[in-house]
Amino acid sequence: MNSSGSTFTRDRSWRSRRLDPDRSLGLRLTLAAVAAILVLVPFALLALLVLGAWPPLLRLDAAVTDAFHGYAVGHPAWVRAMTVWTHVFGPGPLRVAAAVVVIWLLRRGARRLAVWVVATMVAGGLLGALLKLLVGRDRPDLLEPVARAAGYSFPSGHALTAALAAGVLLLVFLPFARGGAGRVALWTAAALLTVVTGLSRIALGVHWTSDVVGGWVLGAAVVAATAAGFTTWRPGAGHRPVRPLQEGVEPEVVEPGSEDRWA
């Protein structure tokens, strides 16, 4: 009896610790800060190199742009394909797609998750626009341009928005992936969206390579920071710890017994 009582007491103690959100809040906040800093450091270094006009970076940017532009001038079909891609997966359409996801989440009652999507897209967009003004980098000036774009160059808004949208795609829909094949499909779609959108900007000669890399890294930093922050906002009661990149930001959305909460 004493042994059973002791076991019961330990089990109750473990459950109370598990269900107490305050016990892990400090750790979660620390992890959120570390995640954001670790991803922001490479972006800050790249921005400093751009601002300082570091010669090796400028030479690399020019070499890649010249190679892509030389190919584009002789291949109109390639230019058309890249133009279609950059329009279809540009910031405007991706923001509309994110809005559709938000509406879908709200209809399911996933209000916190909908707010996370909005916060991620808005924060990333505002940061990108502000940094463009602060850095004030000019776009490539080519003799025979195959495309044109207005505004400053660093970071690439297309690359940034694609990275944000890819993060939303992964962290919202990973809980719904069935088996390894579903996860591979999601990761593949996110990678293609991010990489091809960024490369299309270089291929069309409207961005330097470092602009695109900067957009990717900034997008990853924003997603990492907001996803880590979101885990501190999740109700502690009955929720287990989350590994966002493996399980999404709200895996309980599809776990047994959660249908009523998200209906």
Side-chain angles (χ1 to χ4, degrees):
M1 177 67 69
N2 291 337
S3 175
S4 299
S6 176
T7 301
F8 177 74
T9 301
R10 287 198 302 270
D11 182 65
R12 287 187 60 186
S13 175
W14 178 85
R15 289 181 181 275
S16 66
R17 290 197 302 269
R18 176 175 177 269
L19 299 180
D20 183 359
D22 294 330
R23 289 182 179 272
S24 61
L25 180 58
L27 176 60
R28 289 180 179 182
L29 288 174
T30 300
L31 291 176
V34 170
I37 291 172
L38 287 178
V39 188
L40 280 173
V41 166
F43 177 82
L45 291 175
L46 181 59
L48 289 174
L49 294 177
V50 170
L51 283 169
W54 191 47
L57 179 64
L58 298 183
R59 288 195 294 269
L60 176 61
D61 277 341
V64 175
T65 294
D66 289 344
F68 270 97
H69 183 63
Y71 184 84
V73 169
H75 297 81
W78 165 257
V79 174
R80 288 194 294 271
M82 290 293 96
T83 301
V84 170
W85 184 282
T86 203
H87 287 320
V88 172
F89 297 102
L94 289 180
R95 287 166 186 155
V96 171
V100 172
V101 172
V102 168
I103 293 172
W104 175 73
L105 289 171
L106 290 174
R107 289 176 62 86
R108 292 180 62 88
R111 291 178 294 276
R112 290 181 301 276
L113 196 51
V115 170
W116 173 77
V117 174
V118 173
T120 299
M121 299 299 293
V122 171
L126 292 177
L127 275 175
L130 177 61
L131 288 167
K132 278 180 181 286
L133 293 175
L134 292 176
V135 176
R137 189 187 200 186
D138 293 328
R139 294 176 183 270
D141 186 13
L142 304 172
L143 291 177
E144 300 179 65
V146 297
R148 296 186 182 277
Y152 291 120
S153 189
F154 182 89
S156 165
H158 280 68
L160 168 61
T161 308
L164 296 173
V168 168
L169 172 69
L170 285 173
L171 299 187
V172 171
F173 293 105
L174 270 176
F176 296 93
R178 300 299 182 184
R183 294 177 182 272
V184 169
L186 276 175
W187 279 99
T188 301
L192 284 175
L193 172 62
T194 305
V195 174
V196 179
T197 301
L199 289 180
S200 72
R201 307 305 286 167
I202 304 171
L204 294 174
V206 295
H207 273 294
W208 305 106
T209 302
S210 53
D211 299 335
V212 169
V213 174
W216 287 339
V217 175
L218 181 60
V222 171
V223 171
T226 58
F230 180 80
T231 63
T232 70
W233 189 24
R234 298 166 69 240
H239 279 206
R240 59 182 173 76
V242 174
R243 296 171 297 172
L245 292 181
Q246 285 77 37
E247 303 177 272
V249 286
E250 187 63 90
E252 288 85 0
V253 70
V254 291
E255 287 189 352
S258 64
E259 290 81 358
D260 293 338
R261 180 162 57 89
W262 296 99

